[in-house]
Amino acid sequence: MGVSLSVGDVVEDFELLDETGTRRRLSEFLAKGPVVLFFYPAAMTSGCTAESCHFRDLAADFAAEGATRIGISRDQVDRQARFAQANQLGYPLLSDPDGTVARRLGARRTVAVGPFLTRRMTFVIDVDRSLLEVIHSETSMEAHADRALEALRSRPHP
């Protein structure tokens, strides 16, 4: 199991494939502004769809903060692509099939809950890779996007 990160910790750069099969790096997204990285257990399940669509519906709010939303799960690229298309998400979905990034950030479970090895967690990361907020909630599908926006709005602007 990975270490659990806390506010103020620095998030290591990583590279994963997005839903189009393109290699993407965290640093590439951070070059444009803060990142809201949310882990979800499985694409195309009811809770993950509700959570992902709430992030989609708040697109203008995240854009106003200059933030990029990124979903991440253990799903393969093709499943991420179907999930993104079916829900017209409009933001990248990264495939972490072996849970390497989830483990590094503390979003990997030590014991699976059903078939799910990934915790529902959100990390709000500032441009310097420092962690502004960590959001834990397995049951409130709207809490992740709502609290991420609060963290972005309350951060000191240069």
Side-chain angles (χ1 to χ4, degrees), residues 7 22 29 32 50 67 91 95 101 111 118 126 132 136 147 151:
V7 171
T22 304
F29 295 112
K32 301 173 195 164
Y91 53 81
S95 177
V101 175
V111 176
T118 302
D126 212 343
L132 294 171
H136 303 263
R147 289 186 43 207

Side-chain angles (χ1 to χ4, degrees), residues 76-107:
Q76 297 293 332
V77 169
D78 62 335
R79 188 169 172 93
Q80 297 285 44
R82 288 195 310 274
F83 187 48
Q85 183 176 16
N87 296 290
Q88 300 177 343
L89 295 178
Y91 53 81
L93 298 181
L94 302 182
S95 177
D96 184 24
D98 59 3
T100 301
V101 175
R103 190 178 303 108
R104 253 198 256 163
L105 274 68

Side-chain angles (χ1 to χ4, degrees), residues 2-67:
V3 291
S4 192
L5 295 181
S6 303
V7 171
D9 288 349
V10 172
V11 178
E12 288 180 44
D13 200 13
F14 62 81
E15 180 179 271
L16 292 171
L17 297 178
D18 71 10
E19 77 284 1
T20 70
T22 304
R23 293 191 174 282
R24 306 294 292 268
R25 294 191 73 80
L26 176 62
S27 54
E28 156 199 347
F29 295 112
L30 289 170
K32 301 173 195 164
V35 165
V36 177
L37 181 66
F38 69 99
F39 286 86
Y40 55 94
M44 297 192 275
T45 57
S46 61
C48 297
T49 299
E51 178 185 21
S52 298
C53 288
H54 191 56
F55 272 101
R56 175 200 65 204
D57 295 346
L58 294 173
D61 298 273
F62 283 103
E65 298 303 319

